[in-house]
Structures are given as C-alpha cells and as structure tokens.
Amino acid sequence: MITINDYDFKGKKAIIRVDFNVPLDKLTSNVLDDKRIRAALPTIKYVLGNGGAVILMSHFGRPKNGPEQQYSLKNILPCISELLELTVQFASDCICDEAIRQSKSLQPGEVLVLENVRFYKEETEGSIEFAQKLSRLGDCFINDAFGAAHRAHASTTQIASFFPAAKMMGFLMKAEIENAHKVLTNGKKPFTAIIGGAKVSDKILIVENLLSIADHIIIGGGMAYTFIKALGGNIGNSICEVERIPTCLAIIEKAKLNGVEIHLPLDSVIADEFSPTAKVTNCLSNQIPDGWMGLDIGEKSCLEFQQVLSKSMTILWNGPMGVFELEPFSEGTKSIATAVASATNNGTFSLIGGGDSAAAILKFGFEDEVSYISTGGGALLEYFEGKELPGVIAIQN
Ligand code: AMP
C-alpha cells in the first residue's frame, strides 16, 4: 500500500472520497456543523500544495430515488470554498460527460466538487460499473471518508480496484485507523471502555468484543437498565429491551470468566416523564418505582466511574450516560467527560467515539483535553465490534 506522501501529485487529478455529510439549517441551508469538512482539509490542501488538482466526491443525506434539491452538495459549496479559501467548481452530475470534461480541464490547485454520489442507486448497491465511471474522473484515488468506511459502496470501496497502484488513505482516514488500532491492540493497561446510549441492541456486539480486550467496562445510559433488570432490579418505566436480558446475563457471566469488571450505575436520576420539565429525583438504579424512569446516572455512580477512569491508562468512550441533550439529565455525561479529560491531562490515552459522545465532549468544552475525537460513528463502532471495514480493506489490498 502506498501512502499519500509517496505519490507525486504534480499535474495529477486526485479523486478524494470525503464524508461531507454535514447537517444543514432547514430554513437557510447553511452548514450547522462544518467539522467533517474541516477534518478533510489537510488531505485536500496537501494535494493542492503538491501540484495536484482535486475532485471531491461525497454522499449527502439519504436521497431515496434520484436527485433531490435538499440533498444536493451544491448547498455546501459556499462553505467548502470558504474553508479552502478558494472558489470551488461544481459538477451537477457525478458521472456524466460534462463532469469528465470539467475534470479534464481542471488546473493544478483547482477543486471540482461532484454532485451527491447517492443520487445514483448504484452507489449504495456497490455497482462496479458505476465505480468504473467514477474512476474515469482522476489519475489516483484517496479515501478520506472514515465515516463511510464501513459501507461497501461504489465510491468508498469498489472504485479502489481501478487504481491498483494509485490508491491511498487520506490523512484523516490514516489518523482514525491508527488511533482506533492503538486502543484495540496496543493500548496501555488498564483499559476502560465506557459504553452508553439508548439501546443495548446497538451496542451488544461492541461490548461482546471488548470482553476479551478491556479491563473495565462502564455501562451507562438507557442500555444500563436492561442489564439492571437482568440482575433482578426494579427499573420502573426506564427504557428496556426485555428480549436482550439473556444476552446481558451472558455478558455478565463472560466478563467474570475473563476477569473484566463491568460497572453499572448504582444510582440514577429518575423522572416521571421524558421531558425537561419532568419531576426529578434520585434513587438506586435497581429500585426505580413504577411510573418513573432513569434518565441519567446518579452522583454515586459518577463518583465510582470517576475513580475507575482516574486509574485507567487507555479509555474508549462511546455513547452518553443519560439524556444529556436535556439539562436536568446532562450531569452524568458531563461528569464522565470531565473525568476523561482529567485522566487525559494525567497521561491517559482517550479515544472518543463519534456521534453523541463527540457531541457531548464539544458541548462541555473538552475537545482540546482528550486525545482523539473520531469523526466516524458507525464506522468506529464496527471497528470495535471486530469487523473489517470494506473502505479500509479496499485500500490495503
Ligand atoms: P446512541 O445513539 O445509542 O449512542 O444513543 C444516544 C441517545 O441515547 C441520546 O440521544 C440520549 O438521549 C439517549 N439516552 C441516553 N440515556 C438514556 C436513558 N436513560 N433513557 C433514554 N434515552 C437515553
């Protein structure tokens, strides 16, 4: 596998697969969070700075059946131009002859943005013919879309086969893989994984895989209540996936066998309804009265989790400890974010999974006090579930 530093971009057209799937303001169509675009800038600027021209290729939202204005990448051109400090060109279809003509006439230092690849159903079908059409647009292929690396789509995976000697990872993709790999295989011990979020079913595979890697697994958020019920607790009206109780028990058993300590929240912040104006009180997580639901971890849990984190040398965090979007239930997630930042300041390596945990770290202002914040939600999760990411394999093989 060659790296981006091995390739001579002078006079070449580089197709860069980026993940510019950014949120837009519904009324103004302004980009609400440009993090994903910023994350790809080092790769784009490197190619431009080394005499190449860039063709940017991305998906945007989930169009159902062909082009839809709300999912056009045209919406984000001003933002891309502003961040790159140059006016970018736009191809209103990603594989038509006009796009090829535009790409051919690109000069070194220029950027062409292709329209949403998902306007063709062939993209998500992983069509090799569609990938071949995309490949005609450039001399080499760089994949910098870690957030889409778990999808075997035409522009993330199949396209790489058309550049056997000129396919490489972008800087973002490389950093994501290196940091995730470090935690999974090479992290200093003790290694603590904090897994939260709404549902057990979304996180079962990652917890199972971590049972042979982690020393401690802290389980918080809504998913903790299925575990607590499995252990015979009363969880009132808390979120629960009854059908997952046997899996939770199996996890607890396997953790004992493997010497992994599972930490569940001893106490909870409970509410009489799922609302910011609900009545709120505290109680033990296994004694939640009927009519009440656990929406955050309580003070005792925060203290226990903080102690575990302060002794950890490697931390992986995926998923909030409670409904942190609502003020009355944000304290648990905030206290975990504080503990992760403080451990990091003392030399611990901390990797924050994308999605809600990244949002929480930003919300509480700790983005500069953790080791790495991943841009990939689903992709990172699948990596830690032990799965191979098709977008990564396609570059490596
Ligand atoms: P996930 O996408 O699986 O990481 O879940 C994140 C969502 O879980 C956030 O929107 C939280 O509001 C929600 N969540 C966290 N704790 C709870 C809880 N105790 N009950 C219900 N939802 C929760």
Side-chain angles (χ1 to χ4, degrees):
M1 184 179 72
I2 58 165
T3 75
I4 193 167
N5 302 100
D6 301 325
Y7 192 82
D8 182 5
F9 289 101
K10 209 161 179 205
K12 294 284 203 284
K13 314 269 161 60
I15 304 175
I16 310 183
R17 177 54 160 101
V18 287
D19 178 2
F20 283 179
N21 190 23
V22 292
L24 290 189
D25 183 302
K26 282 206 176 71
L27 288 178
T28 63
S29 287
N30 286 336
V31 173
L32 288 173
D33 180 355
D34 61 10
K35 201 166 54 244
R36 288 187 165 159
I37 304 178
R38 282 181 192 280
L41 293 179
T43 301
I44 301 170
K45 286 186 172 167
Y46 179 86
V47 174
L48 298 176
N50 282 279
V54 164
I55 294 110
L56 292 176
M57 180 167 77
S58 180
H59 69 286
F60 190 50
R62 293 183 178 213
K64 292 215 170 54
N65 204 5
E68 278 178 69
Q69 203 278 328
Q70 59 169 323
Y71 297 127
S72 171
L73 278 161
K74 207 169 182 176
N75 288 309
I76 67 167
L77 289 187
C79 180
I80 303 173
S81 289
E82 193 185 320
L83 290 173
L84 277 171
E85 297 177 62
L86 55 85
T87 305
V88 298
Q89 301 172 37
F90 183 63
S92 55
D93 181 295
C94 60
I95 51 167
C96 66
D97 291 343
E98 176 62 7
I100 293 181
R101 195 196 57 71
Q102 285 175 283
S103 150
K104 284 224 163 72
S105 58
L106 266 191
Q107 297 302 308
E110 291 185 338
V111 176
L112 173 68
V113 178
L114 302 178
E115 183 55 288
N116 193 349
V117 283
R118 284 200 191 160
F119 283 172
Y120 284 88
K121 65 178 180 350
E122 289 84 347
E123 161 65 1
T124 48
E125 288 170 357
S127 155
I128 194 85
E129 291 80 18
F130 180 65
Q132 190 267 332
K133 287 180 186 160
L134 289 170
S135 74
R136 292 181 304 177
L137 292 159
D139 304 301
C140 62
F141 174 62
I142 301 174
N143 194 342
D144 216 15
F146 180 72
H150 56 315
R151 313 246 185 243
H153 291 173
S155 72
T156 58
T157 304
Q158 317 294 4
I159 189 173
S161 64
F162 296 96
F163 298 97
K167 54 179 182 178
M168 51 217 122
M169 290 185 194
F171 293 124
L172 172 66
M173 179 75 107
K174 188 165 172 283
E176 293 274 3
I177 298 292
E178 279 174 3
N179 283 303
H181 186 75
K182 180 170 171 176
V183 168
L184 203 55
T185 60
N186 213 4
K188 277 197 201 148
K189 298 277 196 178
F191 167 31
T192 299
I194 313 161
I195 308 293
K199 287 180 160 179
V200 173
S201 44
D202 292 341
K203 308 282 165 90
I204 279 291
L205 294 175
I206 186 171
V207 174
E208 280 176 346
N209 198 41
L210 289 168
L211 284 175
S212 47
I213 307 161
D215 301 294
H216 298 269
I217 302 179
I218 291 175
I219 296 179
M223 61 182 283
Y225 296 102
T226 305
F227 279 88
I228 292 165
K229 189 169 176 72
L231 292 170
N234 292 327
I235 58 165
N237 294 24
S238 308
I239 186 171
C240 178
E241 291 164 273
V242 180
E243 68 287 0
R244 296 287 177 178
I245 285 180
T247 319
C248 292
L249 289 172
I251 286 176
I252 292 167
E253 252 340 278
K254 188 163 178 205
K256 274 187 206 145
L257 284 176
N258 290 8
V260 179
E261 269 189 68
I262 297 222
H263 304 265
L264 291 163
L266 187 64
D267 61 341
S268 290
V269 175
I270 59 169
D272 62 347
E273 56 176 355
F274 193 105
S275 148
T277 52
K279 256 193 250 155
V280 173
T281 182
N282 274 67
C283 77
L284 291 178
S285 301
N286 60 4
Q287 292 176 21
I288 300 177
D290 286 347
W292 292 76
M293 60 189 90
L295 293 183
D296 195 8
I297 58 173
E299 268 177 35
K300 292 190 184 79
S301 315
C302 290
L303 276 179
E304 184 201 333
F305 295 175
Q306 276 164 6
Q307 272 169 15
V308 175
L309 292 170
S310 71
K311 292 182 201 131
S312 303
M313 290 310 294
T314 304
I315 296 172
L316 166 69
W317 183 14
N318 185 290
M321 295 291 99
V323 184
F324 76 106
E325 303 92 328
L326 304 182
E327 219 280 317
F329 316 112
S330 63
E331 213 39 56
T333 302
K334 187 177 180 184
S335 90
I336 291 303
T338 311
V340 173
S342 139
T344 312
N345 285 327
N346 289 327
T348 296
F349 182 82
S350 56
L351 172 60
I352 313 301
D356 280 317
S357 348
I361 284 287
L362 295 181
K363 176 174 169 162
F364 300 123
F366 291 115
E367 64 267 39
D368 296 327
E369 294 184 62
V370 292
S371 308
Y372 191 74
I373 303 179
S374 174
T375 57
L380 190 82
L381 210 57
E382 289 203 14
Y383 189 87
F384 280 101
E385 286 170 0
K387 292 184 186 149
E388 290 190 324
L389 304 180
V392 175
I393 300 295
I395 297 288
Q396 287 171 337
N397 289 343

